[in-house]
DNA sequence: CAATAAAGTCAAATAAACTTTACATTAAAT
DNA sequence: ATTTAATGTAAAGTTTATTTGACTTTATTG
């Protein structure tokens, strides 16, 4: 999973700690997400989207996961 | 958190079990998400978005969570 | 250079998502 | 009315996100 958090922070000149506090998570959580250690939860992704006024997909990009529908 | 999974399923005449299998999660997971017992993970939300060819926000809607930025 | 802020990392603990198994209820059938 | 498919639910266990606290490394900047 890739994400634009670092760039979005940089555009606003925010530290990881400031972003963490705006999103009400720990600084380590922001660091880990920026470094791709894990996905944020959906609620956290929504909060970030609202904070930056962007769609979730404009902040977090999934590496394409395959999806196939079985014939009904 | 509200979501349109049940409607999207109905439009396609899919059962919870079929959707679960397309998304590679258990039927109980789909049931629990539809009933609002918990949020899906972000990876699962992405997979659903890709399956239905919709944005995450068009499937899952956050009940507005407040977000405020502290002065830098 | 020395001091400070920011970023990176690790380990241990908690919380939330998700699985499996199993059973109960509802709805659709003839 | 009884079978069958779909949905709902619950408990116990696993995995993943997140926290807290502590420490190290990399920038800044005085």
């Amino acid at each position: 999973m890739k994400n634009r958090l670092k760039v979005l922070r940089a555009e606003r000149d925010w530290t990881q700690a400031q972003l963490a506090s705006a999103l009400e998570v720990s600084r380590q959580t922001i660091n880990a997400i920026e470094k791709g250690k894990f996905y944020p939860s959906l609620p956290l992704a929504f909060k970030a989207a609202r904070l930056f006024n962007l769609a979730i997909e404009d902040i977090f990009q999934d590496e394409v996961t395959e999806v196939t529908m079985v014939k009904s």
Side-chain angles (χ1 to χ4, degrees), chain A:
Chain A
M1 211 232 6
K2 293 200 155 25
N3 69 77
R4 301 195 46 244
L5 288 184
K6 189 172 182 171
V7 171
L8 292 167
R9 271 199 309 112
E11 288 173 351
R12 289 157 182 80
D13 201 29
W14 291 348
T15 69
Q16 290 183 344
Q18 285 176 310
L19 177 55
S21 127
L23 295 177
E24 295 175 280
V25 293
S26 71
R27 181 183 65 81
Q28 288 85 338
T29 292
I30 296 302
N31 186 269
I33 292 169
E34 282 193 6
K35 302 240 99 195
K37 300 224 175 108
F38 48 72
Y39 283 78
S41 68
L42 187 56
L44 181 51
F46 268 120
K47 240 175 161 177
R50 183 165 296 112
L51 176 64
F52 291 118
N53 223 1
L54 289 172
I56 288 178
E57 287 89 343
D58 292 332
I59 304 178
F60 304 98
Q61 297 96 27
D62 196 14
E63 340 276 344
V64 177
T65 53
E66 292 302 324
V67 155
T68 319
M69 188 60 205
V70 174
K71 203 178 105 184
S72 70

